[in-house]
Amino acid sequence: MPFALSADRERALREILTRYPTKMGACIPVLHLCQDQNGWISEEVIEYVAHTLDLPLSHVQGVVTFYTLFNQKPVGKHQVWVCRTLPCALRGAGPVLEHCEKRLGIHAGETTADGKVTLRTAECLASCGTAPMMQVDKEYFENLTLEKVDEILDRLTR
Amino acid sequence: MIKPVNYLSKVYGIKNGWSLEVYEREVQGYQAARKALRMTPAQVVDEAKKMNIRGRGGAGFPMGIKWSFMKPHPTKPAYLVINADEGEPGTHKDRTLMEWNPHAVVEGCIIGCYGIGAHVAYIYVRDELHLSKERLWGAIKEAKAKGYLGKNPFGTDYPVEVYVHTGAGAYICGEETSLLNSLEGRRGEPRLKPPFPAQAGAFGCPTTVNNLETIAMVPAALLMGGDAYSQLSALHHLRDGGSRLYGINGHVKNPKVVELAVGVTLRELIYDIGGGVTGDRPLLAVIPGGSSTPVLRADEVVNAPDEKAPLHPWHGQSVLDVPLGVDTMRGLGTMLGTCCATVLAEGTCPVLAMENLMQFYRHESCGQCTPCREGGAWLFRTVTKILDNKANMQELDNLHDIANNIMGNTICAFGEGTAMPALGFLQKFRKDFEAYVRGERTRATATLIPGVSP
């Protein structure tokens, strides 16, 4: 089934187009808009974006594969990213990640069997002063302890 | 020399500190933009030169001089692009600005646009920073509603629009030409320079790319006068002026971001600002300004016998007692970078730290240039082998060769950003690497969290 944006998002798309001198400029924001609705960037989404912005399919495909945050396959309802890079690692990112893996019963990069949580590692989220930290969907959780991690995961998996 | 200032941080922590109301009440918000729009663009650029603001994104290029490169084009518009793609491990200052003082960014954009002859500014923010984006859009909306942005800002006929543009998770997009490609809707692969952005930048038009903190500093500096602002710095004589945000993270008791006049030493930053090393352990090393700036050992001493060398006044002293500045850190063989220091306590395994960083660089290489794409992966694999006691001495030397062959052989500075920290760790902690090769140490006992877990 061909992909289409909801009426609200369609309006947002029109507004985005006014910000750039070229249609291509809207490519990344529009892909975000689509992913927001669809959860991931499917073939249909790529076709839709290419068609809407007059871009070759290969261009949109190239953009999607370049950026880490575009999901190229379906993901869980919630996204959990644990920052693993040095400043966080110095303050306990390793134990936080291990704890998440144990609690969720999956490895980083996987989704729980019930489809609720996808666990991933992140490369530096600009939160080094409040390490260790993790991002859950659009929210930052900082200065983590394992107890705090438990509370957060409890809420997600309930 | 610690001299606290609060041009950018005064509104931090105040209720609704990010709102227009607080910005206007607490720090004379938008008075500088009013002042700028009554000057000529050339006067604004001249004043900007006097500020001696060295780019706060890492390269340390003088902001005013960058602005002066912009020449009007007969047919093409000009653009101002703000780099808020903060993603270098160890760097955490810009996010505080966007979350707490977004109006300083918007006001800086108005002044910057006017100075360089642009009517549109794009603020390029990492997509991960959802709160930052929300606050920036909120500030833009508030400023627009008041008539500070749009067709006639402050009743003048100099239209200015500011937009937030987001990436989608790629550290390389902090590199200015890669950022421009990403802004244009392409893969974030760096471009060859020349042409420089001032000639052909965003959408093929003349463009200035400034770091977010750099542009946010402009309103306060303009209000107090460029020269007076520059003289706040202890390194004014080196044309490294004013104040900046300092970050401290890693093994310190109180990791944080603070605003201070330029010229603070690493010792002051670690012990007075950061509260000292976690668990009162001895200091092993410090990465001065983001993971691509080569590490400094705590026991290093300044070697500058030449009286003309900028570091001569500190000859024979500890590197921890040199003021943090663009040129002083260069003199130490490292870089000031983003001025956010990562502290490693005694007991931290430097080989493990290097492996962590090499994993980052391998993951974030855009893949365009072979030396960076292959070399970065090779560095990571080899350091992993060393940690697993599977490498020989020859491979330890190979690491130097690989890193040296990345340097200078790539389109952008990401290659150096990978090779320099690798060489730094290798040269300064050679004995630790050798201990793994000889099997005297194993990964099982290596740690990044010495003593008790936080």
Side-chain angles (χ1 to χ4, degrees), chain B residues 41-161:
Chain B
Q43 284 171 330
V44 171
V45 174
D46 275 348
E47 203 60 35
K49 283 185 188 165
K50 288 183 198 155
M51 294 169 193
N52 287 322
I53 296 181
R54 305 286 286 266
R56 306 308 196 214
F61 194 81
M63 181 197 77
I65 294 178
K66 200 184 233 185
W67 284 13
S68 72
F69 291 155
M70 294 289 283
K71 300 286 177 261
H73 191 279
T75 52
K76 291 175 177 174
Y79 292 106
L80 176 66
V81 176
I82 306 305
N83 185 346
D85 191 60
E86 182 166 69
E88 174 122 346
T91 301
H92 49 111
K93 63 180 181 67
D94 290 345
R95 192 164 71 91
T96 66
L97 258 176
M98 291 184 270
E99 289 180 8
W100 279 101
N101 198 0
H103 277 287
V105 180
V106 174
E107 187 177 6
C109 285
I110 299 172
I111 299 166
C113 275
Y114 184 68
I116 65 166
H119 292 283
V120 176
Y122 293 102
I123 307 172
Y124 187 103
V125 185
R126 293 181 66 164
D127 187 58
E128 291 93 329
L129 306 182
H130 294 280
L131 183 59
S132 297
K133 287 183 283 181
E134 189 187 311
R135 295 267 161 91
L136 281 170
W137 275 123
I140 291 167
K141 217 171 140 191
E142 276 188 307
K144 223 172 158 162
K146 276 266 192 163
Y148 300 168
L149 278 176
K151 283 206 174 76
N152 315 96
F154 309 104
T156 66
D157 56 0
Y158 194 88
V160 177
E161 294 290 349

Side-chain angles (χ1 to χ4, degrees), chain B residues 176-289:
Chain B
E176 65 175 3
T177 60
S178 161
L179 185 149
L180 293 172
N181 269 335
S182 184
L183 173 64
E184 290 181 11
R186 304 170 195 273
R187 293 164 71 90
E189 287 165 339
R191 303 172 181 174
L192 280 168
K193 291 195 270 192
F196 290 94
Q199 294 132 29
F203 310 104
C205 302
T207 301
T208 293
V209 184
N210 281 143
N211 167 262
L212 183 102
E213 183 193 339
T214 307
I215 203 78
M217 203 61 251
V218 170
L222 190 79
L223 265 193
M224 77 188 286
D227 198 50
Y229 172 75
S230 176
Q231 291 195 31
L232 290 170
S233 161
L235 300 175
H236 170 69
H237 63 289
L238 294 174
R239 295 186 165 272
D240 195 343
S243 59
R244 61 188 301 159
L245 296 178
Y246 288 79
I248 184 81
N249 59 74
H251 294 146
V252 287
K253 288 176 190 165
N254 311 310
K256 59 168 77 152
V257 174
V258 287
E259 188 184 1
L260 307 164
V262 171
V264 176
T265 67
L266 276 169
R267 193 184 301 282
E268 289 166 333
L269 190 59
I270 296 165
Y271 291 96
D272 300 336
I273 307 293
V277 179
T278 321
D280 291 319
R281 301 178 82 86
L283 179 68
L284 175 72
V286 52
I287 301 171

Side-chain angles (χ1 to χ4, degrees), chain A residues 18-122:
Chain A
T18 64
R19 297 178 204 160
Y20 303 95
T22 64
K23 274 191 177 178
M24 194 199 280
C27 186
I28 293 172
V30 168
L31 280 167
H32 278 305
L33 205 59
C34 295
Q35 179 160 290
D36 221 34
Q37 175 172 318
N38 199 53
W40 67 294
I41 307 288
S42 60
E43 288 283 322
E44 291 77 20
V45 168
I46 290 173
E47 277 169 31
Y48 170 82
V49 173
H51 176 76
T52 310
L53 302 180
D54 292 330
L55 294 170
L57 278 174
S58 60
H59 179 98
V60 182
Q61 183 87 51
V63 169
V64 170
T65 53
F66 186 84
Y67 297 95
T68 316
L69 295 181
F70 291 133
N71 304 321
Q72 294 174 61
K73 55 180 196 224
V75 290
K77 191 172 163 222
H78 299 289
Q79 313 277 304
V80 174
W81 288 272
V82 178
C83 176
R84 57 147 291 276
T85 327
L86 190 59
C88 272
L90 293 173
R91 298 185 76 84
V96 166
L97 182 63
E98 272 169 39
H99 191 71
C100 288
E101 291 185 322
K102 209 157 61 182
R103 269 286 316 261
L104 297 167
I106 52 171
H107 291 107
E110 296 172 353
T111 304
T112 52
D114 59 6
K116 273 192 178 158
V117 180
T118 299
L119 176 67
R120 283 190 247 186
T121 54

